[in-house]
Amino acid sequence: MQISEVQEKIRELKKQKDICILAHSYQAREILEVADITGDSYKLSVEAAKVSNKNVLMCGVHFMAETAKMLSPDKRVYLSHVDAGCPMAEQMEPEFIEQIKAGEPDRKVVCYVNTTAALKAVCDVCVTSSSAVKIVKAMEDDKILFIPDCNLGAFVQKACPEKDVMLLQGGCPVHAAITADELKEAKAKHPEALVLVHPECRPEVTELADFAGSTSDIMNYAAKSDAKEFIIGTENSIAEHLQYRFPEKSFYVMSKRLICPNMKLTTLMDVYKSCIEVGTETDREIKMDDELIAKAVVCINEMIRLGG
Ligand code: 13P
Ligand code: SF4
């Protein structure tokens, strides 16, 4: 089957089965084209709460589908590939965070959305990369433990000097692997290019960049900028999508290593198969118990309240 034929079948199934497809911007273009809502983690979590369809299919990684389920517990939520997880989401045990909280009860725990529901259940406020600084600034509390990403945490720490932000060792293995030398090499090849990076990169990389922001922030920056060349320091699909949208500008990847294998697991065929399986008993469906949802959704609702 041609790509366009598979896409047509997906569109028919969406109508027949009342499915809303949400896709993270790291997904392939042919998947974004059949999605109803595309964007970064913040947009997907806010929009997931508003969806009116009976079924939601998340094309991304597991914590994103779990977040959608928590925000729409009465809907059936499916993940496009059962093995698509985010290694960062699994990095910290809830019991370990509870121990820290017991020792410092006046320190509020802020968790990145890239966490399991079990970990969110012991945290006070959730953030995404596009809302982290705004939310930490908006919190009444001054003492904060930011988990699990120490690079995004360091970015927040720098932007919020008025707060006491404690960090633990954790982060995205894809973004954190990128070195300042790789940025310098890319810049040496393209001296006129602006460097745009994700705050999941190490501080020494973020500090050398012209701009650091979430996936959507990077895309908006490139769209509005008068510059003609950009080095993109986040998952390489973003450079590809930007090049397609703005053929008159040039986008270069900072490193060929900036590929998230988990986000790349989903293919258009997986989306098609997922749509076929919607409404049946399938491993792709997210099942969560009500008690866990009730505990974990508190910090997501707090994010939506503080994030506007
Ligand atoms: P954002 O979508 O918040 O930019 O995060 C990028 C990412 O790594 C998703 O897991
Ligand atoms: Fe997780 Fe990093 Fe992949 Fe995002 S890019 S899903 S944080 S491993």
Side-chain angles (χ1 to χ4, degrees):
M1 259 194 294
Q2 299 278 329
I3 286 180
S4 59
E5 286 174 71
V6 182
Q7 287 180 319
E8 215 22 63
K9 286 186 180 298
I10 292 171
R11 289 190 185 103
E12 280 165 24
L13 283 163
K14 283 204 301 179
K15 267 194 234 144
Q16 267 173 33
K17 297 192 173 189
D18 194 22
I19 307 169
C20 175
I21 300 186
L22 275 73
H24 190 271
S25 307
Y26 288 178
Q27 296 293 297
R29 181 150 45 86
E30 63 265 26
I31 295 175
L32 298 182
E33 282 169 355
V34 294
D36 300 284
I37 299 163
T38 65
D40 66 359
S41 308
Y42 186 72
K43 184 167 171 202
L44 295 183
S45 46
V46 172
E47 295 297 325
K50 299 183 194 159
V51 167
S52 59
N53 305 67
K54 269 201 323 236
N55 300 294
V56 173
L57 172 62
M58 178 64 75
C59 303
V61 289
H62 189 267
F63 76 82
M64 295 177 176
E66 219 178 38
T67 305
K69 179 70 184 173
M70 288 189 268
L71 289 166
S72 300
D74 299 334
K75 298 186 195 311
R76 294 184 78 170
V77 176
Y78 303 83
L79 177 64
S80 52
H81 195 296
V82 286
D83 297 326
C86 167
M88 173 168 18
E90 316 271 341
Q91 278 167 350
M92 283 168 202
E93 295 299 328
E95 295 75 19
F96 174 54
I97 301 305
E98 277 185 315
Q99 268 175 22
I100 299 178
K101 281 173 74 168
E104 276 197 77
D106 59 340
R107 195 175 281 280
K108 292 283 180 256
V109 184
V110 176
C111 65
Y112 195 16
V113 70
N114 299 40
T115 40
T116 58
L119 186 54
K120 285 187 178 82
V122 300
C123 297
D124 300 293
V125 188
C126 179
V127 298
T128 66
S129 54
S130 58
S131 64
V133 170
K134 185 178 174 190
I135 288 175
V136 170
K137 278 196 180 294
M139 288 170 70
E140 288 125 37
D141 316 86
D142 288 334
K143 290 178 83 179
I144 282 150
L145 167 63
F146 189 99
I147 58 164
D149 188 341
C150 63
N151 293 331
L152 178 62
F155 182 74
V156 170
Q157 210 173 37
K158 198 173 166 198
C160 306
E162 70 281 15
K163 306 272 177 173
D164 164 6
V165 183
M166 176 181 165
L167 305 175
L168 297 174
Q169 199 62 40
C172 164
V174 179
H175 287 85
I178 301 309
T179 62
D181 282 347
E182 280 173 289
L183 184 154
K184 288 178 195 161
E185 273 169 38
K187 188 77 184 167
K189 277 192 208 148
H190 308 287
E192 299 302 319
L194 290 183
V195 179
L196 318 182
V197 303
H198 198 283
E200 286 174 10
C201 292
R202 296 183 206 172
E204 61 266 34
V205 172
T206 311
E207 273 155 28
L208 291 175
D210 295 289
F211 175 76
S214 75
T215 306
S216 300
D217 293 339
I218 288 176
M219 294 180 98
N220 292 337
Y221 187 99
K224 288 189 191 137
S225 170
D226 291 333
K228 292 278 171 279
E229 293 180 76
F230 303 87
I231 294 165
I232 303 298
T234 191
E235 218 282 341
N236 287 341
S237 54
I238 298 304
E240 191 186 318
H241 298 325
L242 283 167
Q243 192 60 75
Y244 183 75
R245 267 178 63 193
F246 303 106
E248 71 287 4
K249 299 182 178 181
S250 296
F251 297 91
Y252 312 110
V253 299
M254 185 181 291
S255 163
K256 288 197 171 146
R257 299 188 301 128
L258 265 166
I259 292 175
C260 174
N262 307 288
M263 284 282 191
K264 289 284 175 284
L265 278 176
T266 300
T267 63
L268 187 66
M269 265 336 249
D270 289 313
V271 181
Y272 177 42
K273 285 186 205 154
S274 304
C275 289
I276 292 173
E277 288 177 19
V278 162
T280 67
E281 271 308 307
T282 162
D283 288 352
R284 295 182 212 258
E285 185 170 1
I286 304 294
K287 298 262 174 76
M288 295 174 74
D289 74 64
D290 294 344
E291 204 185 322
L292 177 60
I293 293 183
K295 282 188 190 156
V297 81
V298 174
C299 71
I300 299 175
N301 286 336
E302 193 59 359
M303 166 179 87
I304 294 172
R305 185 183 74 82
L306 291 168

